[in-house]
Amino acid sequence: MGSEVEDEKETTPARPFFDIDLGDAPSTSQEPTPLSSNSPPPSSIHIGSLGAAVEAPHSPQLTGTVATMDGAFTFQQPDEATKKGFRWGQFFVGLFMPWAVIFLFSLVVETMQPDWEDMPDFSRAEDVFLTPGEDGWYTHTINKTAEESFRLDFTIDIDSETSANINVYYDPRDVDWEDNGKVRQTNYTNYQYDETTVIGEYTPGNQTVWFQLDNASADEHFAFLYISDYLAMEAWENENGVGAADAIGSTLFCGLGPIAYITGLIAAFSRGNRALGYGLLCAIPLAVIMGPALIILLVIMFGF
């Protein structure tokens, strides 16, 4: 019997994988789940309109016609660069502008200067009569304060060809100058410098000048004595703003002026204003004319 069953299985033809009957499905999926009466109906899905004409988008289609051109292609020609002439206006601006700036700087510095007419007289001059002693030494006492400076000098004739200048200068501020207070004799032969010799000295302790002439006769001589108080003069100038005016003038003329000139020169050529740059360059040799003219103008305005 077992063999008959095996023979039956062998004679039964095999079904393809897609030949599936309802009885072959599992028991859980053979019958659909009944819908409840309270369940909502399934919502409708809009697929499209049936029977309505739908406009298809227009797309270009290839045709067999050959395009014709009425004329040749036209190209836009570039605009011709107009040749510009030399700008003389910019040239003259660059030529005279630096001098106008210098004039303005001069006005600024001058307005800061004090009224020199109100300045006290810090110096005095007098003629002194020098008489040698029996031993040929000259001595003279200088009547001055300890802060004052002085200069004493006179000229003598040694012979028909030789002359000598005797001078002494003393300044209490020049403590490092080795010739400060030394009496020197400078000889000239036929108006040509010959030699200088130290023949005396000034003693600050007793304020006396003493010296003896070299190879010259001891005679009476008139000498010129000039005394000044430079310390008091500097103090007055500082109180009246002379130092500040000088500092501002140095900053304008030696600092800002050259920097502004070089900057303007570079900017003129880099921006294409060649005429302005050439004018700035030509302003330098113009100093031969503008320099004296500027000085004369300031003299007329302020009466130096």
Side-chain angles (χ1 to χ4, degrees), residues 57 76 85 97 111 128 143 167 196 203 219 224 245 260 276 284 302:
Q76 183 177 2
M97 182 173 60
T111 54
V128 298
N143 297 320
N167 67 84
T196 299
T203 304
D219 297 327
F224 176 78
L276 181 62
I284 297 178
F302 301 103

Side-chain angles (χ1 to χ4, degrees), residues 44-112:
S44 61
I45 300 175
H46 180 73
I47 297 177
S49 60
L50 298 177
V54 179
E55 294 183 359
H58 177 73
S59 59
Q61 298 179 356
L62 296 177
T63 61
T65 59
V66 179
T68 59
M69 293 185 295
D70 296 336
F73 290 103
T74 58
F75 296 95
Q76 183 177 2
Q77 296 182 355
D79 296 335
E80 294 183 0
T82 58
K83 189 175 181 180
K84 297 180 181 179
F86 190 78
R87 298 182 178 180
W88 289 101
Q90 291 187 6
F91 174 79
F92 287 111
V93 170
L95 183 65
F96 293 105
M97 182 173 60
W99 294 102
V101 173
I102 292 176
F103 180 73
L104 292 178
F105 284 172
S106 302
L107 291 181
V108 172
V109 175
E110 182 58 30
T111 54
M112 298 183 64

Side-chain angles (χ1 to χ4, degrees), residues 245-261:
D246 293 340
I248 293 176
S250 300
T251 302
L252 293 177
F253 289 103
C254 301
L256 297 179
I259 293 176
Y261 177 79

Side-chain angles (χ1 to χ4, degrees), residues 179-219:
D179 288 336
N180 191 25
K182 303 291 185 180
V183 181
R184 298 174 298 177
Q185 177 178 334
T186 304
N187 295 338
Y188 297 90
T189 302
N190 294 327
Y191 303 101
Q192 300 293 325
Y193 171 77
D194 191 358
E195 62 177 353
T196 299
T197 307
V198 177
I199 60 175
E201 193 175 354
Y202 168 73
T203 304
N206 57 10
Q207 299 188 158
T208 301
V209 176
W210 49 272
F211 62 93
Q212 187 179 34
L213 297 178
D214 183 26
N215 296 328
S217 60
D219 297 327

Side-chain angles (χ1 to χ4, degrees), residues 7-298:
D7 294 337
E8 184 178 357
K9 290 181 180 180
E10 290 178 358
T11 57
T12 303
R15 293 185 302 175
F17 67 93
F18 54 83
D19 187 8
I20 300 174
D21 293 335
L22 184 61
D24 296 333
S27 60
T28 55
S29 59
Q30 289 181 359
E31 295 182 359
T33 304
L35 295 176
S36 174
S37 60
N38 296 327
S39 300
S43 59
S44 61
I45 300 175
H46 180 73
I47 297 177
S49 60
L50 298 177
V54 179
E55 294 183 359
H58 177 73
S59 59
Q61 298 179 356
L62 296 177
T63 61
T65 59
V66 179
T68 59
M69 293 185 295
D70 296 336
F73 290 103
T74 58
F75 296 95
Q76 183 177 2
Q77 296 182 355
D79 296 335
E80 294 183 0
T82 58
K83 189 175 181 180
K84 297 180 181 179
F86 190 78
R87 298 182 178 180
W88 289 101
Q90 291 187 6
F91 174 79
F92 287 111
V93 170
L95 183 65
F96 293 105
M97 182 173 60
W99 294 102
V101 173
I102 292 176
F103 180 73
L104 292 178
F105 284 172
S106 302
L107 291 181
V108 172
V109 175
E110 182 58 30
T111 54
M112 298 183 64
Q113 295 289 344
D115 190 358
W116 296 105
E117 295 181 357
D118 297 336
M119 180 179 180
D121 191 2
F122 296 101
S123 61
R124 61 187 185 277
E126 57 184 61
D127 293 329
V128 298
F129 191 70
L130 301 177
T131 304
E134 294 180 356
D135 53 359
W137 286 88
Y138 292 83
T139 59
H140 183 75
T141 301
I142 308 296
N143 297 320
K144 71 177 192 65
T145 63
E147 294 79 14
E148 289 179 327
S149 305
F150 77 90
R151 177 171 58 88
L152 176 70
D153 67 82
F154 62 96
T155 302
I156 61 174
D157 292 329
I158 297 177
D159 53 41
S160 60
E161 296 182 353
T162 306
S163 61
N165 177 258
I166 293 87
N167 67 84
V168 54
Y169 176 79
Y170 175 77
D171 190 341
R173 304 171 302 173
D174 295 338
V175 295
D176 297 331
W177 183 35
E178 60 180 6
D179 288 336
N180 191 25
K182 303 291 185 180
V183 181
R184 298 174 298 177
Q185 177 178 334
T186 304
N187 295 338
Y188 297 90
T189 302
N190 294 327
Y191 303 101
Q192 300 293 325
Y193 171 77
D194 191 358
E195 62 177 353
T196 299
T197 307
V198 177
I199 60 175
E201 193 175 354
Y202 168 73
T203 304
N206 57 10
Q207 299 188 158
T208 301
V209 176
W210 49 272
F211 62 93
Q212 187 179 34
L213 297 178
D214 183 26
N215 296 328
S217 60
D219 297 327
E220 297 178 342
H221 300 283
F222 279 101
F224 176 78
L225 177 64
Y226 182 80
I227 301 174
S228 60
D229 191 350
Y230 293 112
L231 294 177
M233 182 185 301
E234 291 178 357
W236 184 88
E237 291 177 350
N238 293 331
E239 291 178 358
N240 291 270
V242 176
D246 293 340
I248 293 176
S250 300
T251 302
L252 293 177
F253 289 103
C254 301
L256 297 179
I259 293 176
Y261 177 79
I262 296 175
T263 303
L265 191 62
I266 295 175
F269 283 106
S270 62
R271 293 174 61 89
N273 298 326
R274 295 184 301 131
L276 181 62
Y278 291 145
L280 291 173
L281 290 176
C282 294
I284 297 178
L286 190 64
V288 179
I289 300 175
M290 294 300 298
L294 182 61
I295 294 175
I296 295 174
L297 182 60
L298 293 175

